[in-house]
Amino acid sequence: MFAALQPGRRLLMAALLVTAAVGCTEAGGAAEGGGAAEASCAYVVTYANRSYLDVANTDFTVGKKLGTATIPACDDTPNDPPDAIGEQRITAYAVEGMDPAVAIAVGDTPASAILMKAR
């Protein structure tokens, strides 16, 4: 029985390593002449003094409109003007069955909203 689990454990470990490697990549490293390396911007929003990260492949139901969330400015491309993508605003919605301190949904409409969880 233990031998049957080994291939699954190897696949899981490989998947975790690939995920970690992709999450740690940097754009515009020092080798490209930009000096210090600059990390790519993650999709983070701020609402009610909390930061939220997007969550993929999770079913949820959008609730009532809560207000406006903020997407911070992002400058992850060397040689672009500072703050190439400025701070943006997006509508925040409640997620049915979840406290907004734990999760919200953000989008231009309820139909296009994506799930965000507090970090």
Side-chain angles (χ1 to χ4, degrees):
M1 181 177 204
F2 181 76
L5 293 177
Q6 288 295 6
R9 286 185 181 176
R10 276 186 243 150
L11 286 175
L12 177 61
M13 190 57 116
L16 290 173
L17 288 173
V18 168
T19 301
V22 170
C24 293
T25 60
E26 294 181 331
E32 294 179 18
E38 299 178 45
S40 293
C41 300
Y43 188 60
V44 176
V45 300
T46 303
Y47 174 75
N49 296 320
R50 290 182 194 87
S51 293
Y52 297 83
L53 294 170
D54 61 321
V55 179
N57 302 322
T58 302
D59 291 330
F60 67 98
T61 302
V62 176
K64 67 178 182 170
K65 181 178 175 180
L66 296 172
T68 303
T70 303
I71 303 168
C74 177
D75 181 18
D76 67 347
T77 306
N79 303 323
D80 276 356
D83 294 333
I85 300 174
E87 182 177 276
Q88 300 174 16
R89 307 261 184 234
I90 194 163
T91 304
Y93 299 94
V95 176
E96 287 188 11
M98 299 187 107
D99 185 329
V102 174
I104 60 172
V106 296
D108 293 327
T109 66
S112 69
I114 60 171
L115 182 64
M116 308 289 289
K117 288 201 175 179
R119 56 171 160 156

